Amino acid sequence: MRTGVIRKSAAALRGAQGLADFEARGGAFRWEDVRARLEGLPGGGLNIAHEAVERHARGANASRIAFRFLRRDGTLTELDFARLSRLTNRYANVLRALGVGKGDRLFVLAGRIPELYVAVLGALKNGTVVSPLFSAFGPEPIATRIRLGAGSVLLTTASLYRRKVQGVRASLPGLRQVLVCGEGSEGIPGTIDLARSMDAASDEFEIPPTDPEDAALLHFTSGTTGTPKGAVHVHDAVLMHYMTGAVALDLHPDDVFWCTADPGWVTGTSYGILAPLLHGVTSLVDEADFDAERWYRILQDQRVSVWYTAPTAIRMLMKAGAQLRREYRFPALRFVASVGEPLNPEAVWWGAEVLGLPIHDNWWQTETGGILIANTAAMDIKPGSMGKPLPGIEAAIVHRRETGLDFVTAPGEEGELAIRRGWPSMFRGYLGEEERYRKCFAGDWYLTGDLARRDADGYYWFVGRADDVIKSAGHLIGPFEVESALMEHPAVAEAGVIGKPDETVGEVVKAFVSLKSGFEASEALRMELLGHARKRLGAAVAPKEIAFVASLPRTRSGKIMRRLLKARELGLPEGDTSTLESS
Ligand code: ATP
Ligand code: MG
């Protein structure tokens, strides 16, 4: 097992501090200083799309590439800020002509194609609330979300419309208009051809007055622990996208940034669309899904300098082996970050050793709208820790009590992660679930539902989701710790750990393990893994049972669904599986 801290070189720290000077202000951080770096609308107010697009399109960055779209077949389409401005103006005019206005809700159902990006930004310009859906959803999850979100207009492709929307359209009386794009989009009954409407629209558009508190985005959670919730975000969130783009992702003007998340998840919008634009940075968008060779080739050929990805992808690259990695060179790559799930220490070390760069884990949720806790470029990394709260973010470890919150002060003690309310991208509601929203708060504090601990240096360590924590013989066991220990064994590619009800000890720890290529499941290997875990974790925490599986059930955003492992183990109903990735 490797332990220790990954120290940053003096040069890395110097470079990072050049832009991340918010951090240098330490306790003096004020959100108003971030606001001052943005422009605001000419007549007052704040609109995300103005800051992300117009501010650059009318300035020195007009001809800088905003998006570089890599199509499935390898061809490229580039949009500079000036053109992005004109296209999003047209799109806003298309909406306006349809009678879609401020506060109305647009759903977007498409792969990672230019039309989606133009639609999101164009809708924001128009004051229309936008909710990008994941294109792999089936008809029911799509219809449920549009219904819940009271969507009045949908943008999709002709092919997705035929396959997924047409059949449920009758159940969506509130959905007044459907715009379709792509091949075969002309003449589909009940739809409007986007290309034709765009041609007819003007490319001049004046953003209407927008209040920072006006709703902007609607994002559904991943559904890891239950039915996905719809989180509402406002235009003021742009402060957070901007600040975290600088401090957590270390974006500099000449960067080529690649966020691998789909805009159907909050990461793919906050960071796959908005944060890089806010910094005038070129964003690479790959239409295709994960493929180890393709991804290494993209990092190399597109000269990606800042890469934001997820633990599941990193584990898949680890599984693909170091040999493949050696066939590529990444001289431009200088900063790698990860979000979505705990990043096992093994993965951070793999980054340092095999990729040549350590991976910076950061933590946030759909509800938080942006990164709150991070390993930044200007910090030494403690592998396995999610880092420290960013400027402007006050975090605490708490216990909920009848009488209020108990704040943990002792380093290393576990409790629920709480954030003091008031950061700009905090969600303003769960759609249709006021009571649930209210219950997320205790006084000034937002309760995240995640368990964590803080060490003496102020680094936060993820323990597990409150729902996943295992209670065994008086111990509270976080699945992440057990999974990370199993992953240290050379045969293990991935592990998912659950508590299985047991009469004597409450719950026993059971692990589901998938193996790296070249390893075979056997009784001998099972015994070896049980022994390895016991040595690393002690008998009280180590799994009592290990099952070998080909793969683990995960959400389409890449998170291990422990609740499904558990339901299947116990023969219970599987619950909402709308976000389950089909293998
Ligand atoms: P649902 O709320 O529907 O069950 P979800 O919580 O997975 O789904 P998201 O908002 O996409 O939906 O994910 C946020 C959660 O992901 C966090 O609460 C946390 O449990 C986990 N997470 C994200 N980043 C990290 C990280 N760096 N380390 C550990 N856990 C993380
Ligand atoms: Mg959640």
Side-chain angles (χ1 to χ4, degrees), residues 221-229 339-342 361-367 386 450 462 465 559:
T221 61
S222 290
T224 313
T225 55
T227 305
K229 299 147 272 188
V339 72
E341 276 196 302
D361 186 21
N362 58 54
W363 176 95
W364 58 293
Q365 306 177 309
T366 307
E367 290 86 341
M386 52 202 193
D450 283 345
F462 182 81
R465 295 160 180 272
K559 296 163 196 270

Side-chain angles (χ1 to χ4, degrees), residues 224-247:
T224 313
T225 55
T227 305
K229 299 147 272 188
V232 180
H233 292 283
V234 298
H235 280 270
D236 213 34
V238 70
L239 270 65
M240 193 73 187
H241 303 144
Y242 182 86
M243 186 279 282
T244 53
V247 181

Side-chain angles (χ1 to χ4, degrees), residues 59-204:
N61 285 339
S63 59
R64 189 189 284 275
I65 300 303
F67 285 116
R68 188 186 294 161
F69 296 100
L70 179 61
R71 295 304 179 102
R72 228 172 272 279
D73 64 6
T75 54
L76 289 174
T77 308
E78 291 186 331
L79 286 183
D80 63 22
F81 277 94
R83 192 157 145 68
L84 184 63
S85 162
R86 290 194 299 275
L87 287 172
T88 48
N89 282 349
R90 277 180 194 267
Y91 192 84
N93 281 318
V94 167
L95 290 181
R96 192 176 272 180
L98 293 176
V100 178
K102 200 166 148 174
D104 287 336
R105 303 220 177 103
L106 165 76
F107 279 76
V108 182
L109 175 74
R112 290 179 291 277
I113 55 172
E115 288 87 342
L116 179 151
Y117 294 75
V118 168
V120 169
L121 293 160
L124 290 172
K125 279 185 170 177
N126 192 44
T128 302
V129 182
V130 54
S131 183
L133 295 176
F134 192 57
S135 63
F137 282 149
E140 261 322 305
I142 292 168
T144 312
R145 284 163 179 75
I146 294 178
R147 217 174 286 129
L148 186 64
S152 61
V153 54
L154 169 73
L155 168 77
T156 187
T157 66
S159 143
L160 285 168
Y161 182 77
R162 288 209 175 85
R163 285 187 288 132
K164 304 190 172 188
V165 183
Q166 215 159 22
V168 290
R169 179 88 188 260
S171 72
L172 298 168
L175 185 63
R176 292 198 304 272
Q177 274 119 358
V178 178
L179 288 156
V180 288
C181 63
E183 219 166 293
S185 55
E186 279 167 51
I188 305 176
T191 71
I192 301 158
D193 177 15
L194 176 71
R196 189 177 287 193
S197 310
M198 288 286 276
D199 283 346
S202 157
D203 59 12
E204 302 278 328

